[in-house]
Amino acid sequence: MVKMQWNLLFAMLFALVVAIFAVANVNAVSVNYLFGKTEWPLILIILGSTAMGGLIVASFGFFRIFQLQRQVKVLSKEKKELQEKMEAMEKKENAEVVDGK
């Protein structure tokens, strides 16, 4: 919980620094695309680049969470199967001990 609060604090601090940096750079700049060239305010380029970077990082994070959830599901199923086998073996051993007496 505390780690999440620190992450939120750092994210807000980063957003503040980017916003200040973007507001300080409002001049129009030339942007070359593969299919043309346009003039955009630098503030939009900075904010757009930051947003795209955040989306890319978030998508990798979501992909990793999805992988880990699948792994947890597989391991939980395996654990349940092993516990059932262990219980069956214990019942068998207990039956043999009772029959042997």
Side-chain angles (χ1 to χ4, degrees), residues 28-68:
V29 293
S30 176
V31 179
N32 293 318
Y33 299 103
L34 292 175
F35 51 85
K37 180 179 177 180
T38 60
E39 295 268 331
W40 285 67
L42 187 56
I43 188 171
L44 292 179
I45 294 171
I46 293 170
L47 293 176
S49 299
T50 303
M52 287 300 293
L55 288 173
I56 290 169
V57 169
S59 66
F60 281 117
F62 287 135
F63 179 72
R64 182 68 179 145
I65 288 171
F66 177 72
Q67 283 182 327
L68 291 173

Side-chain angles (χ1 to χ4, degrees), residues 76-86:
S76 294
K77 183 179 177 184
E78 184 179 333
K79 177 186 170 193
K80 183 179 178 184
E81 290 172 358
L82 290 173
Q83 283 177 334
E84 289 172 355
K85 283 183 181 179
M86 190 172 80

Side-chain angles (χ1 to χ4, degrees), residues 17 32 70-71 96:
V17 168
N32 293 318
R70 285 182 48 203
Q71 186 177 10
E96 288 175 358

